[in-house]
Amino acid sequence: MWLSKRQSAQSTAYAEEGTLTINSSALTETSATMRSRNAADYSPYGYTSRTPVGEAVLLINGACRAGVRMAEKQIAQGEIEIESLGGAKIRLCNDGSIRLNGVVITADGRIINIEGDTL
């Protein structure tokens, strides 16, 4: 019985929130209950990013980061928004439009500025 308890404890997956403390081309480090160096980053297919130092990340078994904590945004269910550290952003909206830094590209291809004027 004690052997089965010991074996199940070793195979338990462990995830915790940590903070990215170093992110260079040669080294990454996440600080949580223990430090993790050069953990692999995972994201949805097609996304590539480099997480800024200081961001909260989900660390799994000390071996990989599953992404950063999402900011509270007012977007509808099913919409997607991508934003860079510098403020550039793109939102894919449920009505088929794309919002790109204050410009709207409608589903039929018209380009409208933030005031609603067609460009």
Side-chain angles (χ1 to χ4, degrees), residues 11-114:
S11 63
T12 302
Y14 181 67
E16 67 177 320
E17 185 175 296
T19 302
L20 192 67
T21 55
I22 298 172
N23 192 355
S24 69
S25 60
L27 174 69
T28 61
E29 181 178 87
T30 304
S31 180
T33 55
M34 69 171 93
R35 293 204 187 286
S36 174
R37 291 201 169 202
N38 292 330
D41 280 313
Y42 287 82
S43 67
Y45 178 80
Y47 286 74
T48 301
S49 67
R50 189 150 173 196
T51 306
V53 169
E55 289 291 322
V57 297
L58 181 61
L59 187 63
I60 301 174
N61 287 340
C64 69
R65 286 185 299 274
V68 299
R69 179 182 291 272
M70 290 192 311
E72 296 292 327
K73 298 272 185 166
Q74 296 298 319
I75 65 173
Q77 290 183 21
E79 292 187 340
I80 299 169
E81 184 172 285
I82 303 169
E83 185 173 0
S84 74
L85 187 60
K89 70 174 82 169
I90 184 170
R91 181 181 294 185
L92 307 178
C93 302
N94 290 333
D95 64 1
S97 66
I98 300 169
R99 296 180 179 268
L100 178 65
N101 292 338
V103 174
V104 177
I105 304 170
T106 64
D108 62 0
R110 290 180 295 121
I111 300 174
I112 303 170
N113 67 13
I114 198 84

